[in-house]
């Protein structure tokens, strides 16, 4: 995130802060040596000169309040774009529109999912800011180059370690959210969508969505992780969250917790809590094998294009 911040400060944010809070005593950026340190993070990968507004604001780049505000805007916009764009693409490509006639599909459900998603994202973004703030201020174990890895082979090992750690953490957090003491007010809003569409991927109570994201942000605070890998994994996690809300009923892998497994969770609640794999569900006895004929195979299109029959 520090690299993103260097780039966005240079291209957009320096000028914005200079307008919002100008510093009349600011030095000119003609002295490149005086401001070269400002792009130190992105400079590891690409030589990028600071903008001419880099020192023109009372809110300097290393001001923690400015960093927090910038991060909040970045997280909010990024999450909104990934949510709406990713869900829209999946909805109009892979999502089976026949499910819109499913007996358990709610009236105006897509609109309701979107409303809940876009109202939850700002709060989740706010709660996520402290983790990214810790990262850009050097309080995490993120490192720049593969040559900085702890030992030979860790460059490849970090990927399965991240998946295993987050898969385990999300399983137990997700299962805890089903405890009667918190389920009704915290996690039940997400289970309103018994037959989810991709737009249900962020349609959470904000504390619910944030809680299930915690393992992603805790990992680099505890374990080394290369920044490029972190960015790639963050993108992967965001896309995966959308993909598993495709309401897919066709059984696929018994190891990967894909859309078919997660659909069983939405239908039957107390099964398939995992995020990426079925490992913890199998170990803890909460795995339920997806049923290929749960709805789609038990229904037939009639001559008017409507679905007939009963849902299992």
């Amino acid at each position: 995130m520090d690299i993103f911040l260097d780039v966005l400060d240079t291209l957009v944010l320096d000028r914005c802060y200079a307008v919002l809070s100008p510093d009349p005593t600011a030095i000119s950026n003609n002295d490149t040596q005086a401001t070269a340190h400002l792009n130190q993070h992105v400079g590891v990968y690409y030589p990028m000169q600071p903008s001419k507004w880099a020192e023109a604001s009372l809110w300097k780049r290393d001001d923690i309040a400015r960093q927090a505000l910038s991060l909040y805007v970045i997280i909010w916009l990024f999450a909104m774009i990934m949510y709406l764009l990713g869900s829209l693409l999946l909805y109009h490509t892979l999502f089976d529109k026949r499910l819109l006639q499913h007996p358990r599909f709610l009236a105006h459900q897509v609109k309701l999912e979107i409303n809940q998603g876009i109202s939850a994202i700002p709060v989740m973004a706010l709660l996520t800011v402290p983790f990214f703030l810790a990262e850009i201020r050097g309080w995490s174990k993120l490192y720049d180059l593969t040559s900085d890895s702890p030992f030979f082979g860790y460059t490849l090992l970090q990927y399965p370690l991240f998946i295993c750690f987050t898969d385990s953490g999300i399983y137990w957090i997700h299962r805890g959210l089903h405890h009667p003491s918190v389920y009704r007010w915290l996690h039940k809003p997400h289970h309103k969508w018994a037959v989810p569409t991709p737009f249900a991927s962020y349609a959470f109570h904000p504390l619910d969505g944030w809680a299930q994201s915690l393992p992603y942000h805790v990992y680099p605070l505890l374990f080394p992780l290369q920044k490029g890998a972190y960015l790639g994994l963050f993108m992967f996690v965001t896309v995966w969250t959308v993909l598993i809300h495709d309401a897919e009923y066709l059984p696929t892998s018994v190891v990967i917790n894909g859309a078919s497994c997660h659909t069983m969770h939405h239908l039957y609640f107390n099964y398939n809590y995992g995020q990426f794999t079925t490992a913890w569900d199998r170990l803890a006895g909460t795995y339920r094998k997806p049923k290929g004929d749960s709805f789609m195979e038990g229904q037939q299109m009639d001559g008017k294009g409507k679905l007939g029959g009963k849902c299992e």
Side-chain angles (χ1 to χ4, degrees):
M1 189 56 74
D2 51 9
I3 298 166
F4 263 127
L5 207 51
D6 275 356
V7 173
L8 290 176
D9 275 334
T10 302
L11 298 180
V12 180
L13 298 179
D14 282 339
R15 186 169 186 177
C16 291
Y17 285 112
V19 172
L20 293 173
S21 180
D23 182 359
T25 65
I27 64 171
S28 169
N29 197 26
N30 293 329
D31 186 355
T32 56
Q33 290 185 345
T35 58
H37 68 285
L38 294 176
N39 279 5
Q40 58 181 322
H41 301 296
V42 71
V44 174
Y45 302 92
Y46 179 78
M48 189 176 196
Q49 293 300 318
S51 70
K52 63 181 181 181
W53 297 283
E55 294 285 352
S57 174
L58 290 171
W59 271 18
K60 305 306 180 186
R61 283 195 184 184
D62 60 354
D63 187 294
I64 192 170
R66 166 174 165 167
Q67 290 175 335
L69 178 58
S70 297
L71 288 171
Y72 177 66
V73 173
I74 292 168
I75 298 167
W76 186 354
L77 292 178
F78 176 81
M80 287 288 286
I81 292 170
M82 291 297 293
Y83 167 57
L84 294 174
L85 182 60
S87 300
L88 188 66
L89 289 174
L90 190 59
Y91 180 80
H92 287 293
T93 54
L94 301 180
F95 182 70
D96 195 328
K97 302 300 191 303
R98 291 179 295 171
L99 290 169
L100 301 178
Q101 299 180 48
H102 193 292
R104 297 183 67 179
F105 195 85
L106 304 179
H108 311 295
Q109 180 173 313
V110 171
K111 181 180 179 180
L112 294 171
E113 288 173 336
I114 294 173
N115 287 341
Q116 186 171 338
I118 61 177
S119 63
I121 286 174
V123 181
M124 290 191 286
L126 182 64
L127 295 172
T128 303
V129 165
F131 293 101
F132 285 127
L133 199 58
E135 292 168 11
I136 66 171
R137 297 188 76 84
W139 303 333
S140 74
K141 294 184 180 295
L142 291 172
Y143 59 92
D144 290 303
L145 304 173
T146 55
S147 58
D148 300 326
S149 62
F151 54 83
F152 178 77
Y154 188 79
T155 299
L156 296 178
L157 187 61
Q158 62 185 336
Y159 294 99
L161 286 177
F162 178 89
I163 295 298
C164 289
F165 178 88
T166 54
D167 198 41
S168 174
I170 291 171
Y171 174 86
W172 291 108
I173 290 171
H174 190 180
R175 188 167 177 178
L177 288 166
H178 278 255
H179 191 278
S181 63
V182 297
Y183 174 79
R184 184 175 297 276
W185 66 274
L186 194 57
H187 193 55
K188 188 177 180 180
H190 185 62
H191 274 283
K192 182 189 303 182
W193 329 115
V195 181
T197 77
F199 292 103
S201 55
Y202 277 72
F204 287 94
H205 184 291
L207 288 178
D208 180 3
W210 174 78
Q212 294 194 59
S213 73
L214 281 175
Y216 306 134
H217 304 298
V218 169
Y219 184 89
L221 297 178
L222 302 177
F223 305 101
L225 189 62
Q226 196 267 332
K227 291 180 181 178
Y230 183 49
L231 177 60
L233 286 166
F234 191 75
M235 295 285 289
F236 165 73
V237 165
T238 304
V239 173
W240 184 263
T241 302
V242 176
L243 287 174
I244 63 173
H245 288 88
D246 188 27
E248 178 61 71
Y249 289 92
L250 296 177
T252 51
S253 172
V254 296
V255 176
I256 304 300
N257 185 69
S260 56
C261 278
H262 197 69
T263 295
M264 294 300 103
H265 176 73
H266 275 260
L267 286 171
Y268 302 109
F269 302 107
N270 295 318
Y271 302 93
N272 300 355
Y273 296 104
Q275 178 76 352
F276 302 115
T277 75
T278 62
W280 279 103
D281 281 300
R282 290 180 175 279
L283 288 171
T286 56
Y287 176 71
R288 179 162 185 155
K289 183 178 180 180
K291 294 182 178 181
D293 61 351
S294 178
F295 172 69
M296 302 304 290
E297 293 182 9
Q299 305 294 318
Q300 297 295 327
M301 298 294 291
D302 64 19
K304 298 180 180 179
K306 294 183 178 180
L307 290 167
K310 295 181 179 180
C311 178
E312 180 181 348

